[in-house]
Amino acid sequence: MKFECVNWNQTEDYVTHFWRQNVAQMWTETEFPVAKDIASWNALSSDEQTAFKRVLAGLTGLDTHQADDGMPLIALHTQDLRKKAVLSFMAMMEQIHAKSYSHIFTTLLPSEESRFLLEEWAPNNRHLRFKGDIIVSRYRKLLTPNPSRYDVYMAHVMSVFLESFLFYSGFYYPLYLAGTSRMTTSGEIIRKILLDESIHGVYVGYLAQEIREELTEDERQRADAEMYELLEQLYANEAEYTQEIYGAIGLVEDVDNYVRYNGNKALMALGFEPYFEHEPFSSIVLNALDTSTKTHDFFSVKGDGYVLALNVEELRDEDFIFDDV
């Protein structure tokens, strides 16, 4: 192994742009006081609470595998040290995403119920297991010392599918509730996660397109065929999962449109044309995708327009001594 030093003193390019964007979006779950949602939570029906709990449990599992398998293994086989650094930062944020769902559960649910959702319900849900197996199996092909560039490329494709497509059936409901002025703090957390995942998908999509150029024409054709086959399998599974989660609250058709919309976004991040036809989905959720600030209580909740404070001085006793007016 050779000794290396990352060199950031290079011409500005998309890698430095994505580094800055990731750092600008840095946050942690403790900045969001989920206790503000307790009254709203208690007002939800049993079916609404069940849907909310299950989507968060499913999202936890997906973020866990993205943090533990996806980003680290893709980074391991990324030669450019700056590109690797961006992926490592993203992996750290995936851990924060996974912890954020537990932050919500800790506030709203008894610990035994949280344990059941995260240790029994989600790991045993056949739809979650199906998509987890497909994604992680592609990731773990990179555990070999010298995986083929084809396998490295397909791991990137799976990462983009996860970041830009498969998370979104879970994101839908917290965004929908927040858009109707319910569970708004939890909705802020989901919006922060969504903003992260959106740039993760685009960044890994750029890397994937570069790797695809290295493949032979036969490999590209094989990769494209495998990609569309996997897309169809994952979408069929996602449609069944959507029926299971949202059937009792009457949102299946709208969520399905939202899923297809995001499937097309994943393909576009990889450099392909849209594949799915879809109808317009809820304007409530569409408005939640707006990246302008939703929260203006700067002393308690971090909104999407939050600016990190730098060079902060500690308060001193003399700061509270005022001249008489």
Side-chain angles (χ1 to χ4, degrees):
M1 185 182 81
K2 64 178 181 178
F3 184 78
E4 297 180 281
C5 301
V6 63
N7 180 10
W8 286 98
N9 297 309
Q10 301 183 33
T11 304
E12 287 280 318
D13 60 6
Y14 78 88
V15 181
T16 52
H17 170 78
F18 275 98
W19 174 266
R20 285 198 303 270
Q21 187 63 38
N22 274 276
V23 171
Q25 293 184 192
M26 172 67 190
W27 58 279
T28 64
E29 78 287 352
T30 55
E31 296 159 7
F32 297 85
V34 180
K36 289 188 173 184
D37 285 345
I38 291 175
S40 180
W41 172 253
N42 292 333
L44 296 180
S45 70
S46 176
D47 286 340
E48 289 171 329
Q49 288 185 350
T50 297
F52 186 85
K53 291 183 292 189
R54 288 181 175 179
V55 297
L56 293 194
L59 287 168
T60 304
L62 295 176
D63 267 312
T64 298
H65 281 294
Q66 189 69 336
D68 291 350
D69 298 300
M71 289 299 188
L73 286 171
I74 288 173
L76 181 65
H77 296 286
T78 299
Q79 301 306 311
D80 185 293
L81 296 179
R82 295 178 308 127
K83 293 177 181 177
K84 187 189 294 281
V86 176
L87 290 166
S88 297
F89 192 101
M90 290 178 173
M92 179 270 295
M93 289 308 302
E94 299 290 357
Q95 297 286 10
I96 288 177
H97 298 170
K99 191 170 185 298
S100 297
Y101 307 121
S102 288
H103 178 60
I104 296 172
F105 283 152
T106 297
T107 306
L108 302 178
L109 303 179
S111 58
E112 179 56 28
E113 188 173 3
S114 296
R115 187 207 63 77
F116 169 77
L117 287 163
L118 297 173
E119 297 180 20
E120 296 186 42
W121 182 83
N124 292 305
N125 180 275
R126 67 185 182 92
H127 299 112
L128 292 172
R129 286 207 318 268
F130 180 85
K131 59 184 167 184
D133 287 346
I134 284 181
I135 295 164
V136 174
S137 67
R138 267 61 182 187
Y139 288 160
R140 292 188 176 174
K141 287 186 177 182
L142 305 191
L143 286 171
T144 58
N146 296 297
S148 68
R149 293 305 283 168
Y150 181 92
D151 285 338
V152 172
Y153 172 71
M154 290 307 301
H156 282 69
V157 170
M158 286 297 97
S159 181
V160 174
F161 277 3
L162 180 54
E163 302 277 12
S164 302
F165 174 35
L166 299 176
F167 278 122
Y168 287 78
S169 60
F171 288 157
Y172 177 97
Y173 197 45
L175 295 176
Y176 179 84
L177 288 175
T180 58
S181 299
R182 295 178 289 173
M183 307 298 293
T184 53
T185 304
S186 298
E188 286 278 358
I189 294 175
I190 299 303
R191 281 173 48 77
K192 294 297 288 186
I193 294 172
L194 186 150
L195 290 170
D196 289 344
E197 304 297 14
S198 65
I199 65 168
H200 293 186
V202 172
Y203 178 70
V204 177
Y206 274 126
L207 300 184
Q209 291 183 55
E210 291 176 345
I211 296 170
R212 189 174 183 276
E213 291 299 312
E214 302 173 18
L215 304 180
T216 66
E217 184 58 34
D218 286 346
E219 286 175 326
R220 290 178 199 167
Q221 292 182 12
R222 180 160 65 98
D224 293 352
E226 183 179 2
M227 178 189 73
Y228 284 113
E229 180 181 356
L230 291 169
L231 181 69
E232 288 279 9
Q233 291 175 353
L234 289 166
Y235 170 68
N237 180 71
E238 208 67 10
E240 292 181 4
Y241 182 66
T242 295
Q243 180 64 52
E244 176 187 341
I245 296 296
Y246 293 100
I249 55 176
L251 291 172
V252 172
E253 183 178 354
D254 204 56
V255 177
D256 196 45
N257 280 319
Y258 185 55
V259 168
R260 291 199 296 271
Y261 166 81
N262 285 289
N264 287 338
K265 285 178 61 180
L267 288 172
M268 292 168 68
L270 290 163
F272 294 89
E273 293 297 316
Y275 181 79
F276 295 110
E277 293 184 4
H278 66 88
E279 298 296 326
F281 53 88
S282 169
S283 60
I284 295 172
V285 175
L286 183 62
N287 290 337
L289 303 180
D290 178 22
T291 57
S292 61
T293 300
K294 300 293 182 187
T295 301
H296 300 282
D297 179 1
F298 298 115
F299 296 99
S300 60
V301 180
K302 179 186 284 191
D304 297 321
Y306 177 87
V307 177
L308 186 65
L310 301 176
N311 300 321
V312 177
E313 296 183 8
E314 293 184 3
L315 291 174
R316 300 166 297 174
D317 289 343
E318 50 267 36
D319 291 326
F320 297 92
I321 300 175
F322 306 102
D323 295 330
D324 292 334
V325 178

